[in-house]
Amino acid sequence: MLLHITTDGPPIYQQIVEQIRFRIISGQLAVGDELPTIRGLAESSRVNPNTIARAYRELENEGLVEKRRTVGTFVAAREAKVTAAERRRLLAPHIDRVLVQAKQLGMPLDDLLNQMTQRNAKLHDAPVSTPAKESK
């Protein structure tokens, strides 16, 4: 499991929790999938094993994963599908980062929205529905 860890920003354990939570809620990790061992993920991410253990504990407290003694940590069964509010909550920090970066670069919101529409179309191989306005 590849994680993107930065030293500037939220605590490392929170970054780990957010990334694993996102993978579970988005369906990238399915019910019953085994998470890497604490030691294995710590080594591959170059993070202290105690940090990984803390992240796993938080995910377990949220009911997203379950520990099975001597077997490992697995994605827990969830009763309901992801709600729209949950999806918005998960995306909010990412949207905030993009908005802050756009503001720092002096990019107007209309240009940012246009670029996002173009990128979305490119990612999904769909034609752009609005005329593209190139900004310099």
Side-chain angles (χ1 to χ4, degrees):
M1 174 180 294
L2 293 175
L3 298 174
H4 178 71
I5 306 294
T6 61
T7 55
D8 57 338
I12 293 173
Y13 85 93
Q14 280 183 332
Q15 294 178 51
I16 295 166
V17 167
E18 286 177 14
Q19 290 178 50
I20 294 174
R21 182 189 299 128
F22 180 83
R23 290 177 185 177
I24 292 170
I25 291 175
S26 69
Q28 293 175 22
L29 289 173
V31 172
D33 282 354
E34 184 174 7
L35 270 58
T37 64
I38 291 172
R39 185 180 309 265
L41 188 56
E43 288 175 3
S44 67
S45 302
R46 295 184 173 180
V47 172
N48 187 306
N50 292 329
T51 303
I52 304 294
R54 183 175 180 184
Y56 278 17
R57 273 193 310 275
E58 187 158 323
L59 290 164
E60 186 176 22
N61 290 339
E62 291 180 18
L64 294 173
V65 301
E66 60 187 9
K67 286 185 185 175
R68 299 180 190 161
R69 269 197 199 278
T70 70
V71 180
T73 304
F74 297 82
V75 176
R78 298 192 64 207
E79 293 180 20
K81 291 195 175 217
V82 181
T83 65
E86 218 172 347
R87 286 192 297 266
R88 283 192 297 271
R89 185 181 60 77
L90 283 170
L91 284 174
H94 303 287
I95 292 169
D96 291 348
R97 278 193 284 277
V98 169
L99 289 168
V100 167
Q101 289 175 338
K103 183 167 181 71
Q104 290 172 342
L105 293 169
M107 179 182 274
L109 183 58
D110 288 343
D111 288 351
L112 175 62
L113 293 173
N114 186 38
Q115 184 175 9
M116 290 181 77
T117 301
Q118 289 176 352
R119 297 295 303 153
N120 184 58
K122 191 177 258 186
L123 286 172
H124 299 291
D125 293 322
V128 176
S129 61
T130 58
K133 182 174 100 179
E134 196 65 33
S135 66
K136 295 182 181 181

